[in-house]
């Protein structure tokens, strides 16, 4: 089974496998991609609402990887749906791919190359340059803003 992100509808993803998605995806779509969603729903695509325990598990994994601040509620719930359904997530979103890999959820990409490795983001103070493992509103040392930094 495939769980489809909005990019699957935008790029006209086709499969003969069973498909699923979440209601929030429909809200992100316009024009032809919205019609594709409606047509697939009418053809038997499963609409899944992940439970809150799984959603919280995904949020914890995203916080650990440093992706939580760039994931939308829709993104988090799509990963949760994929986890619950033991399905392959179809997305081009790198942060979703990173969190999915952390949770051992398979991912198939559409229009871009997939991630090559899982990343654990670091945060660097824009004032004093200190690095932190987790996101904070401000640097606890000097009070400046933190920026997400590629760990490599």
């Amino acid at each position: 089974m495939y769980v489809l992100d909005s990019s699957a509808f935008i790029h006209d993803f086709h499969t003969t496998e069973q498909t699923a998605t979440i209601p929030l995806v429909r809200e992100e779509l316009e024009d032809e991609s919205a019609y594709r969603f409606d047509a697939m729903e009418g053809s038997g695509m499963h609409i899944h609402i992940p439970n809150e325990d799984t959603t919280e598990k995904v949020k914890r994994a995203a916080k650990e990887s440093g992706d939580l601040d760039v994931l939308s509620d829709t993104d988090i719930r799509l990963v949760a749906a994929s986890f619950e359904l033991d399905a392959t997530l179809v997305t081009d979103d790198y942060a979703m791919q990173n969190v999915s890999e952390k949770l051992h959820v398979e991912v198939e990409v559409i229009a871009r190359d997939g991630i090559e490795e899982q990343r654990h983001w670091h945060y660097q103070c824009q004032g004093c340059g200190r690095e932190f493992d987790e996101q904070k509103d401000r640097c606890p040392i000097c009070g400046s803003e933190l920026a997400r930094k590629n760990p490599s």
Side-chain angles (χ1 to χ4, degrees):
M1 173 178 274
Y2 289 107
V3 172
L4 308 179
D5 184 11
S6 57
S7 59
F9 299 99
I10 292 167
H11 295 290
D12 200 14
F13 176 79
H14 289 283
T15 182
T16 57
E17 300 290 322
Q18 289 184 326
T19 56
T21 194
I22 62 172
L24 292 171
V25 168
R26 177 61 174 86
E27 296 172 17
E28 295 181 350
L29 301 173
E30 299 175 350
D31 303 325
E32 295 87 19
S33 57
Y35 295 126
R36 284 188 202 103
F37 181 102
D38 295 340
M40 288 182 73
E41 183 180 16
S43 298
M45 178 175 64
H46 175 68
I47 305 298
H48 184 77
I49 300 174
N51 72 52
E52 286 303 315
D53 290 342
T54 308
T55 302
E56 287 304 314
K57 180 177 185 153
V58 172
K59 286 180 182 177
R60 284 191 303 274
K63 185 174 182 178
E64 288 172 12
S65 70
D67 293 300
L68 184 60
D69 59 329
V70 296
L71 290 174
S72 68
D73 188 46
T74 303
D75 297 339
I76 290 166
R77 292 180 184 280
L78 278 164
V79 175
S82 300
F83 184 85
E84 285 182 357
L85 297 171
D86 194 24
T88 299
L89 177 60
V90 178
T91 185
D92 280 337
D93 185 285
Y94 291 134
M96 289 174 68
Q97 292 174 43
N98 200 41
V99 174
S100 293
E101 187 164 313
K102 186 168 185 59
L103 293 168
H104 307 289
V105 170
E106 284 191 47
V107 174
E108 185 167 320
V109 294
I110 305 164
R112 298 184 184 179
D113 293 333
I115 64 171
E116 294 177 9
E117 63 184 24
Q118 182 180 352
R119 294 193 174 159
H120 179 82
W121 294 97
H122 298 282
Y123 296 88
Q124 185 171 28
C125 176
Q126 298 299 291
C128 67
R130 287 185 173 84
E131 291 188 13
F132 303 93
D133 286 335
E134 59 184 47
Q135 172 70 27
K136 302 175 187 314
D137 290 333
R138 299 220 168 256
C139 175
I141 309 302
C142 74
S144 297
E145 289 187 21
L146 300 182
R148 190 165 93 153
K149 179 182 175 195
N150 189 336
S152 46

